[in-house]
Every structure is written in structure tokens, then in C-alpha cells.
Amino acid sequence: MEKVVMTLTDQEKQYLIDLANEARRRAYAPYSHYAVGAALRTKNGRVFTGCNVENAAYPTGMCAERVAVFKAVSEGEREFEVLAVATSNGGSPCGGCRQVLAEFGLDTLVLIADGQGHLVKETTVAEQLPGAFTPKDLQGRAFTK
Ligand code: THU
């Protein structure tokens, strides 16, 4: 099958990065003080944002990227084009978020940006999670031990 390579204009990238930074301002991060924002564009052109939401019971908090993915999926969107993630220092998506993104496609573009809105790194889910375990690994399997 032919691989469709998605091209985004610099303006489109900046728009998503700016949305991610706006979402970052809504982060609830009283424990880590590390605010993260995300903006996910689906193949239908819809955009879902997310921020990290922490909790006094630490492990029950949620990352910005997963909030965006879960919002999209719960609104009926499962095909993603590009995710922008913004942090103060241009940090990378965590392993858990990479795995959740991988579930819906390894080709999703990942734009990593800083708090000033600068693009720090442009990558893909495949590059971020080499050797990903995906739905394919479970295909056609009956219950076996
Ligand atoms: N965090 C995210 O929102 N996304 C990531 O990919 C990295 C970590 C959040 C989780 C927690 O609220 C804070 O950043 C510090 O780990």
C-alpha cells in the first residue's frame, strides 16, 4: 500500500503549537509545577486540546497528551494526523503517552515545542516508540496460554 506522507505548513504547525501552549495555561499541576499542554489534530481536521491534571493521590493524575487523545476518541475520532505538545522546556512525551498514541497509529506526527512557542523537535510516534506493541500484535489471537 502506498504510504501517504502528510505535509503541514509552518503556519498550521504554529497554530497547533499555540493551541498547545494555551491549553498548557489550564494545566492543573500544583504538585510538579510542570505544566503541559497538547493539541491533537485528527484526519477529519478536528482539534482536541489537553492539559495535565494532577491529583493529591499522585498516580491518578493524567498527562496532557492522553487527555487530548481520550477527548478525541470519546468524541468518535480515532485517526490522528499530528500532536503538538508544549512545556516550559520543550520536554518529550512520556512513555505512557507514546504507547497510547501508538495504539492509534505510528505515523502521527509529533511536534515538541517550548513555552515560547518554538518548535524544538519534529518527530513521529514510530520514532518516539521504536518496536511499539500495537493492536497488530494481538491480531487473530484466540485465548492461549
Ligand atoms: N506530563 C505530561 O502531561 N505529559 C508528559 O508527556 C510528561 C509528563 C505531566 C505529568 C505530570 O503532571 C507532570 O507532567 C510532571 O511529570
Side-chain angles (χ1 to χ4, degrees):
M1 208 171 73
E2 197 188 318
K3 202 170 171 182
V4 180
V5 180
M6 199 221 352
T7 47
L8 275 180
T9 64
D10 286 350
Q11 205 180 6
E12 285 175 304
K13 287 178 196 171
Q14 197 58 54
Y15 176 67
L16 289 170
I17 289 168
D18 292 347
L19 282 179
N21 260 311
E22 261 175 46
R24 195 168 80 89
R25 289 201 282 273
R26 298 190 288 274
Y28 178 71
Y31 307 106
S32 73
H33 303 289
Y34 190 69
V36 186
L40 178 69
R41 194 174 88 181
T42 73
K43 289 195 175 157
N44 288 323
R46 295 173 74 191
V47 177
F48 296 85
T49 60
C51 63
N52 52 333
V53 183
E54 296 184 349
N55 192 281
Y58 290 4
T60 62
M62 185 47 66
C63 290
E65 300 91 318
R66 270 180 276 178
V67 169
V69 170
F70 295 159
K71 280 170 72 177
V73 173
S74 65
E75 293 295 327
E77 297 283 329
R78 294 179 183 175
E79 293 188 73
F80 309 143
E81 264 182 3
V82 49
L83 173 95
V85 56
T87 57
S88 57
N89 60 352
S92 288
C94 80
C97 290
R98 295 176 196 207
Q99 181 64 40
V100 166
L101 286 162
E103 178 74 16
F104 300 100
L106 298 174
D107 294 333
T108 304
L109 200 64
V110 178
L111 307 175
I112 299 171
D114 67 17
Q116 273 74 54
H118 298 127
L119 179 61
V120 169
K121 188 180 176 134
E122 184 168 332
T123 180
T124 62
V125 171
E127 230 173 56
Q128 291 265 291
L129 192 63
F133 184 82
T134 70
K136 271 192 182 159
D137 292 299
L138 296 176
Q139 244 167 35
R141 295 186 73 84
F143 179 71
T144 47
K145 283 201 267 187

